[in-house]
Amino acid sequence: MLRLSRDVYDGMLAHAVAGLPNEACGLFAAASPSSEVVTFYPMANAAASESLYEFDGAEHLDVEKQAEEGGLTVVGVMHSHTRSTAYPSPTDVTQAAGFDPLGVWHYVIVSLKHPEPALRSYRIIGGFIDEEEVRVRA
């Protein structure tokens, strides 16, 4: 299960919409891997693409450093799908294997296919996709 603060949830949706027409992306962090996500780090999509996202290496390192200095651990990645459902694409699965070969990260996808954004989360381990429940603190 992925637990998000309301601010994080709202921030992810807003960043996804603001990124249009391109995919948006970012990282998120919690005090521990099993605790509620309390910080979302919106990032630039270095690919500037409607169909894929890519982190700038320097920005990625800066976010990791900010989280660490704040006593937090990066526990996942968020990106948007501009025209498809919130389900990992083959490219997403390949990227997950490179970012997170042990499958400890959460992969949040925000779909902008319909007028109302849809947020879903997955664990991706060894090419297998497992959807997890998302709970948002009111």
Side-chain angles (χ1 to χ4, degrees):
M1 175 187 352
L2 178 65
R3 294 179 298 164
L4 304 174
S5 71
R6 173 56 63 180
D7 287 345
V8 166
Y9 178 83
D10 291 345
M12 287 179 178
L13 295 183
H15 185 58
V17 171
L20 287 170
N22 295 326
E23 287 194 1
C25 57
L27 296 171
F28 50 91
S32 71
S34 62
S35 62
E36 179 180 294
V37 174
V38 295
T39 303
F40 172 60
Y41 302 93
M43 297 171 68
N45 179 354
S49 169
E50 296 177 8
S51 58
L52 64 101
Y53 73 96
E54 182 179 315
F55 293 140
D56 172 80
E59 185 180 22
H60 187 169
L61 289 174
D62 184 52
V63 166
E64 292 273 1
K65 182 179 176 186
Q66 285 179 52
E68 185 177 311
E69 288 174 349
L72 301 173
T73 301
V74 172
V75 295
V77 60
M78 165 271 174
H79 77 283
S80 61
H81 283 182
T82 60
R83 294 188 205 126
S84 61
T85 60
Y87 189 81
S89 69
T91 300
D92 296 334
V93 173
T94 299
Q95 285 181 326
F99 278 138
D100 179 30
L102 300 178
V104 296
W105 273 18
H106 303 270
Y107 290 86
V108 168
I109 300 173
V110 176
S111 172
L112 301 173
K113 181 178 179 178
H114 301 291
E116 186 68 31
L119 182 148
R120 293 168 67 185
S121 184
Y122 302 88
R123 302 306 279 268
I124 304 173
I125 304 168
F128 293 98
I129 301 165
D130 186 28
E131 185 168 6
E132 64 182 341
E133 179 183 355
V134 177
R135 287 199 183 163
V136 180
R137 181 171 39 90

